[in-house]
C-alpha cells in the first residue's frame, strides 16, 4: 500500500504494511520516523515492527498538554513522519502533535470505537473540558482486523453507534439548510450517508471479518466527510449534543459510541413525533442498535429518565451555534420530560 491523499489498508495482517508505508520516500526521504504508542496494544505492535531506525514515544494521557509535548519533540527531532498506534486517545494526540510539527501522520487503529481515526479533529482534555480541535487528517490509515478482534467487544460495538449517528447528523444539517439557509455540502453528506447505510441493514456482527471491514471503512468515510465539510457537521448533530451533555453532567455513563447511538434514536423519535419523519427509519435504527447490543433507553447506560431529560435540556449548550432538531423544537423542560417518558414507552424493550 502506497500513500495517496488518504490510503486505507483494512485486513488481517495489515500491520505488516506499516513498514512499507513509512519507508515510502514520498513520506520520509531520509527515514527519520517517529512512532507514538498508547499503553495498550500499541507498545506490543511497535515492538513487533521491523523499524530499527524509528524512535518510539509513549502516550500516557489524552490531553492538550501531552499532545503539545509530543509535538515539540517531533519538531525538535526533525522527524519526517509519525505513526500513531493505539486507540482513539493515542491517535488524537498524535494527529495534534503531527499538525503542530508540520509532518505527515499515519493512523494505526487497534480498535474501532469511533470515527476519529481519520477525521480532521482531535478531541483532547483541556482545563476540565474536552474540546474538538482542528488538525490535519492522517495521510494513511492502517487497521489490522486481528488487533481489532483482540480489543474488548464493547469498543467495536461503540463504533457502530458512532457511524449510525451520521443518519441523525445529516437530518439535522439538512434541517438547518431548510430553516436557516445553512450551506449543506452534498459530497460530505454522501460520504456520511454511505458509511451509515452500509452498517444499518447488515445482519452480521462484530464477529465477522466482513462486518469489521465495512465498519472500519465507514468510520474512515465519516472522517473524510468531516474533512470535505470543513466541520463535524455530517457526523455530529443532536445525537452528539446529547452525548456531550451526558458526558459533562454524568461522567462514566456510557462511552462515546453508545451515547451517540442513544442520542440518535431519541432525536429520530422527536423527528417522527414532530416532523412526520418515517417511523420505519426509527425502527431500522432501533433494530440495528439492539442487534449490536447497544443502549436504546437511558436506563441502559445507568441514567434515570429525569437525568436524561436534564442532559437533553443541557445539550444545545454543548455546541453553540449548531442548529439541530433540539434547537428547532426548543422544548421546555416539562415538554422534554414528557417526550423522554413517551420515548421510553415507545422504544423500550
Amino acid at each position: 500500500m502506497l500513500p495517496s491523499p488518504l490510503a486505507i489498508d483494512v485486513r488481517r495482517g495489515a500491520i505488516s504494511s506499516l513498514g512499507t508505508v513509512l519507508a515510502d520516500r514520498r513520506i520520509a526521504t531520509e527515514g527519520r520516523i517517529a512512532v507514538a504508542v498508547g499503553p495498550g496494544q500499541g507498545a506490543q505492535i511497535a515492538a513487533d515492527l521491523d523499524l530499527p531506525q524509528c524512535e518510539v514515544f509513549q502516550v500516557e494521557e489524552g490531553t492538550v498538554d501531552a499532545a503539545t509535548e509530543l509535538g515539540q519533540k517531533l519538531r525538535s527531532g526533525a522527524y519526517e513522519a509519525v505513526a500513531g498506534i493505539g486507540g482513539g486517545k493515542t491517535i488524537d494526540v498524535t494527529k495534534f502533535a503531527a499538525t503542530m510539527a508540520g509532518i505527515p501522520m499515519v493512523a494505526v487503529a487497534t480498535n474501532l470505537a469511533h470515527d476519529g481515526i481519520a477525521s480532521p479533529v482531535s478531541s483532547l482534555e483541556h482545563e476540565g473540558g474536552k474540546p474538538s480541535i482542528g488538525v490535519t487528517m492522517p495521510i494513511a490509515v492502517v487497521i489490522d482486523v486481528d488487533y481489532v478482534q483482540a480489543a474488548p467487544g464493547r469498543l467495536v460495538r461503540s463504533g457502530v453507534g458512532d457511524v449510525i449517528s451520521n443518519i441523525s447528523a445529516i437530518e439535522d444539517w439538512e434541517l438547518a439548510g431548510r430553516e436557516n439557509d445553512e450551506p449543506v455540502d452534498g459530497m460530505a453528506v454522501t460520504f456520511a450517508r454511505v458509511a451509515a447505510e452500509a452498517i444499518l441493514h447488515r445482519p452480521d456482527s462484530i464477529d465477522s471479518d466482513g462486518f469489521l471491514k465495512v465498519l472500519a471503512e465507514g468510520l474512515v468515510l465519516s472522517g473524510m466527510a468531516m474533512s470535505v465539510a470543513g466541520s463535524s457537521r455530517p457526523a455530529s448533530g443532536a445525537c452528539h449534543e446529547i452525548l456531550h451533555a451526558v458526558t459533562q453532567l454524568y461522567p462514566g455513563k456510557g462511552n462515546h459510541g453508545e451515547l451517540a447511538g442513544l442520542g440518535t434514536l431519541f432525536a429520530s423519535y422527536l423527528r417522527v413525533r414532530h416532523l412526520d419523519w418515517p417511523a420505519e427509519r426509527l425502527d431500522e435504527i432501533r433494530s440495528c442498535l439492539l442487534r449490536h447490543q447497544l443502549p436504546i433507553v437511558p436506563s441502559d447506560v445507568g441514567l434515570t429518565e429525569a437525568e436524561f431529560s436534564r442532559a437533553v435540556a443541557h445539550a444545545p449548550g454543548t455546541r453553540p451555534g449548531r442548529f439541530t432538531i433540539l434547537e428547532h423544537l426548543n422544548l421546555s423542560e416539562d415538554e422534554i420530560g414528557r417526550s423522554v417518558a413517551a420515548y421510553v414507552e415507545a422504544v423500550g424493550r
Side-chain angles (χ1 to χ4, degrees):
M1 180 186 72
L2 295 178
S4 60
L6 178 59
I8 307 168
D9 191 3
V10 183
R11 58 185 168 87
R12 289 188 179 276
I15 198 71
S16 63
S17 71
L18 182 58
T20 302
V21 173
L22 294 176
D24 190 319
R25 294 297 179 180
R26 289 174 292 176
I27 291 182
T29 58
E30 297 180 6
R32 288 192 56 77
I33 303 298
V35 174
V37 300
Q41 292 178 316
Q44 182 59 52
I45 295 172
D48 292 341
L49 291 174
D50 184 20
L51 294 171
Q53 295 182 352
C54 78
E55 184 164 357
V56 178
F57 297 95
Q58 291 284 338
V59 175
E60 301 295 342
E61 298 178 333
T63 64
V64 170
D65 288 344
T68 301
E69 181 181 353
L70 177 59
Q72 291 169 341
K73 290 177 180 177
L74 295 177
R75 189 163 54 191
S76 63
Y79 295 100
E80 297 173 280
V82 59
I85 305 176
K89 177 178 71 174
T90 303
I91 290 175
D92 277 352
V93 165
T94 310
K95 283 192 293 186
F96 182 100
T99 301
M100 180 178 169
I103 60 176
M105 180 258 188
V106 176
V108 184
T110 56
N111 66 55
L112 300 176
H114 58 74
D115 59 17
I117 298 170
S119 74
V121 172
S122 283
S123 209
L124 299 171
E125 297 173 17
H126 184 61
E127 296 181 353
K130 200 170 185 181
S132 296
I133 304 166
V135 295
T136 303
M137 284 181 66
I139 194 171
V141 175
V142 176
I143 301 171
D144 193 316
V145 173
D146 290 318
Y147 286 99
V148 170
Q149 288 191 327
R154 184 185 178 195
L155 292 179
V156 184
R157 289 190 290 269
S158 173
V160 174
D162 209 15
V163 170
I164 292 300
S165 73
N166 291 1
I167 297 170
S168 178
I170 291 168
E171 290 295 327
D172 283 329
W173 199 8
E174 293 180 339
L175 175 64
R178 293 192 300 271
E179 296 294 323
N180 295 341
D181 292 325
E182 182 175 325
V184 178
D185 189 294
M187 182 174 290
V189 166
T190 298
F191 283 170
R193 195 187 304 280
V194 167
E197 296 291 341
I199 290 296
L200 186 62
H201 299 294
R202 283 190 69 100
D204 47 352
S205 71
I206 64 173
D207 296 323
S208 159
D209 283 14
F211 181 87
L212 291 177
K213 188 175 192 307
V214 171
L215 175 59
E217 291 172 347
L219 292 169
V220 172
L221 265 180
S222 295
M224 292 172 66
M226 288 185 268
S227 180
V228 169
S231 76
S232 61
R233 246 317 190 176
S236 175
C239 48
H240 280 62
E241 288 182 332
I242 292 171
L243 89 81
H244 290 306
V246 171
T247 301
Q248 289 176 12
L249 296 174
Y250 310 106
K253 299 294 187 180
N255 63 31
H256 182 98
E258 290 170 343
L259 295 175
L262 176 59
T264 292
L265 195 60
F266 179 70
S268 299
Y269 171 78
L270 292 180
R271 292 186 190 95
V272 172
R273 188 172 181 178
H274 296 280
L275 299 182
D276 294 325
W277 205 55
E280 293 81 6
R281 292 293 280 169
L282 178 69
D283 293 339
E284 290 171 350
I285 295 169
R286 177 183 181 276
S287 295
C288 180
L289 296 178
L290 285 175
R291 188 160 60 249
H292 295 287
Q293 303 170 43
L294 289 165
I296 62 168
V297 293
S299 60
D300 290 340
V301 293
L303 293 173
T304 65
E305 289 182 18
E307 289 171 335
F308 188 71
S309 297
R310 183 185 173 210
V312 172
H314 181 72
T318 66
R319 284 290 183 271
R322 182 149 296 187
F323 189 85
T324 76
I325 183 70
L326 300 180
E327 287 79 7
H328 177 67
L329 297 177
N330 194 27
L331 300 176
S332 68
E333 291 186 9
D334 286 344
E335 289 171 327
I336 290 172
R338 290 193 293 271
S339 293
V340 169
Y343 162 78
V344 171
E345 179 66 24
V347 309
R349 293 183 178 85

